[in-house]
Amino acid sequence: MAQHGKSVVVYEAQANIGGGARSAELTLPGFIHDLCSSVYPLAIGSPFFRSLPLSQHGLEWIQPAAAVAHPFDDGTVVTLERSVEATAAQLGPDEQSYRKLMVPLVAGWNGLDVDLLGPVRAPRHPWNLARFGLLGIQPARRLAEGRFQAERAKGFFAGIAAHSMLPLENWGSAAFGLVLAIAGHAVGWPIARGGAQKLTNALAAHLRSLGGEIIPNRPVRSLGELPASRVVLCDLTPRQVLEIAGEHFSPHYRESLRQYRYGMGAFKMDWALSGPVPWTAVECKRAATIHLGGTLEEIAFSERSAWRGEHVERPFVLLAQPSLFDPERASATKHTLWGYCHVPHGSTSNMAVKIENQIERFAPGFKDLVIGRSLMPPNELEKHNANLIGGDINGGAADLRQLFLRPTLKMYGTSVKGLYICSASTPPGGGVHGMCGYFAARKALKEMF
Ligand SMILES: Cc1cc2nc3c(=O)[nH]c(=O)nc-3n(C[C@H](O)[C@H](O)[C@H](O)COP(=O)(O)OP(=O)(O)OC[C@H]3O[C@@H](n4cnc5c(N)ncnc54)[C@H](O)[C@@H]3O)c2cc1C
């Protein structure tokens, strides 16, 4: 909006701006942790972010040697490399299948990114999108079992697909595994030097350079609190939109928002460590992101259980070890570690021991290195950011019904003229990529100016 010369004011409830992209000393002084997101395949791959001068405002991407490391109990590992060949070469009998699956998708990524990271519309690259769609619409389990013979490839793909926060038996869950694997090959899974906050600070500096204003510590409780303006864009999920604007909506639209469904939650942890994580598989040190769960069966069970409201003994754990690649996160020999597992929506169970047991399983001696830890169950996450309803980090379940058309058939629009939704509850959904806001702003510019 600001790039189009409109005057923009951002009201932020919290003292520090950034929502899902913020950093803070959560454990001990001198240890910089990312409160929510930490790893950015979708940000570096975002057509909108690519168009912004973020590096001029201090954003520097760090690309670890490998995007993801997926260790197994036998001490081996599969890594997601920039090269499809180098990744496939680790998959034994599934080398050819992986190559056959990925080569055309990665070749088509340039352009496909615009189609995938946006709402349903006439695709710019229909053939590429059709090829992707036929694969992505499948359950991740079915794709993995149909394409791969050995456990290494199946477990590796399951770990990436589990970012969907859906049971891997659900239709559409393969799309997440494919998008993130393609992104790993096409653009990498980078981290931001100095922490997630640097991405937010660069976006804020760009906005300010265009005359925009940001007012922190200003929770908006009703539309009436806002100054008169032609457009209001809500970076909120449907429940909050109903709270601040519900009385203005048509009964039908209000009911549609009420029916929006939230997904499972996250139990987030951060650690201050006296040394690097002592991985059994040393190749794990080449990646910022580590997926802990081993086999497809174990990961699928963990995700299915969380979806059904159950807690498992061995949760699938997503870790990031940014300080291995970024000296600004901790002093000299010390390290930071970031991680979470999926839990039932609104869960109040303490998963800390189970998460740490999973790390210890693949890195014996890890627990002895812990000098500080921070725990954020779903309710704590929600306290830090009201958008994380029940700990749902994606702004609502991304099952088939809500994958393309979210939060309602109107997507960014509402039943009130000039009022829009621009959060992860709109297409293309969760993740730090700015594309929800981009498409919401485009719609607002077209309709209101
Ligand atoms: C633990 C965790 C790990 C994640 N890891 C990754 C990752 O590694 N990579 C990735 O791409 N994504 C990741 N995500 C997801 C990503 O952070 C979100 O999908 C993304 O930030 C959603 O963007 P958004 O603009 O919809 O909302 P948010 O980024 O959540 O921003 C919403 C903002 O609105 C503010 N707000 C809420 N209510 C009000 C109100 N009434 N008045 C004023 N302000 C209000 C909030 O304080 C917040 O600043 C993670 C999320 C979490 C929680």
Side-chain angles (χ1 to χ4, degrees), residues 206-253:
H206 178 54
L207 174 64
R208 289 185 184 118
S209 76
L210 298 169
E213 191 186 349
I214 303 174
I215 305 181
N217 274 320
R218 187 73 76 84
V220 177
R221 296 198 180 84
S222 85
L223 279 188
E225 290 176 12
L226 298 174
S229 65
R230 256 206 263 181
V231 166
V232 173
L233 293 142
C234 299
D235 187 10
L236 302 173
T237 78
R239 192 173 300 172
Q240 302 146 283
V241 176
L242 278 169
E243 274 164 24
I244 72 161
E247 79 229 45
H248 302 284
F249 293 141
S250 68
H252 178 259
Y253 182 72

Side-chain angles (χ1 to χ4, degrees), residues 231-432:
V231 166
V232 173
L233 293 142
C234 299
D235 187 10
L236 302 173
T237 78
R239 192 173 300 172
Q240 302 146 283
V241 176
L242 278 169
E243 274 164 24
I244 72 161
E247 79 229 45
H248 302 284
F249 293 141
S250 68
H252 178 259
Y253 182 72
R254 205 162 37 228
E255 190 48 37
S256 311
L257 279 188
R258 275 203 196 108
Q259 282 175 17
Y260 188 71
R261 292 181 325 283
Y262 292 89
M264 51 174 103
F267 186 100
K268 164 88 183 330
M269 288 187 76
D270 288 276
W271 297 266
L273 303 177
S274 59
V277 181
W279 299 109
T280 305
V282 287
E283 294 91 335
C284 286
K285 292 189 173 156
R286 297 179 57 248
T289 305
I290 316 286
H291 290 161
L292 301 180
T295 62
L296 164 70
E297 215 48 67
E298 182 178 321
I299 296 169
F301 179 67
S302 170
E303 298 307 292
R304 203 165 57 236
S305 303
W307 183 260
R308 284 184 186 158
E310 295 156 13
H311 298 85
V312 292
E313 209 38 52
R314 287 181 150 190
F316 171 60
V317 173
L318 304 93
L319 280 188
Q321 40 184 11
S323 58
L324 275 189
F325 307 92
D326 179 2
E328 292 182 21
R329 307 291 182 117
S331 64
T333 54
K334 306 284 192 291
H335 285 275
T336 60
L337 187 68
W338 164 110
Y340 63 95
C341 72
H342 300 149
V343 289
H345 183 89
S347 158
T348 52
S349 284
N350 186 341
M351 299 296 283
V353 171
K354 291 174 177 176
I355 290 178
E356 292 192 353
N357 285 347
Q358 283 288 65
I359 305 173
E360 187 79 18
R361 171 178 161 199
F362 296 99
F366 157 75
K367 290 183 185 177
D368 301 334
L369 302 176
V370 177
I371 51 177
R373 58 167 70 73
S374 145
L375 275 58
M376 281 198 271
N379 66 341
E380 203 57 40
L381 284 172
E382 210 175 318
K383 237 184 264 168
H384 281 283
N385 180 348
N387 281 35
L388 305 175
I389 308 272
D392 181 343
I393 72 174
N394 285 328
D399 53 11
L400 266 194
R401 211 174 94 198
Q402 296 188 163
L403 183 58
F404 303 112
L405 297 167
R406 54 198 276 140
T408 70
L409 294 180
K410 287 182 182 291
M411 297 191 282
Y412 312 97
T414 67
S415 66
V416 172
K417 193 172 171 218
L419 183 65
Y420 297 88
I421 303 175
C422 64
S423 69
S425 305
T426 62
V432 174

Side-chain angles (χ1 to χ4, degrees), residues 142-226:
R142 182 176 148 140
L143 187 139
E145 289 178 338
R147 293 260 164 178
F148 306 128
Q149 299 171 37
E151 199 41 64
R152 285 171 73 74
K154 289 182 199 167
F156 171 62
F157 184 73
I160 303 175
H163 283 259
S164 63
M165 298 184 82
L166 293 171
L168 302 187
E169 293 79 14
N170 270 32
W171 286 88
S173 54
F176 292 83
L178 290 173
V179 167
L180 291 172
I182 301 167
H185 295 306
V187 293
W189 287 31
I191 57 172
R193 184 178 296 279
Q197 191 72 49
K198 295 292 171 80
L199 169 57
T200 292
N201 291 353
L203 285 163
H206 178 54
L207 174 64
R208 289 185 184 118
S209 76
L210 298 169
E213 191 186 349
I214 303 174
I215 305 181
N217 274 320
R218 187 73 76 84
V220 177
R221 296 198 180 84
S222 85
L223 279 188
E225 290 176 12
L226 298 174

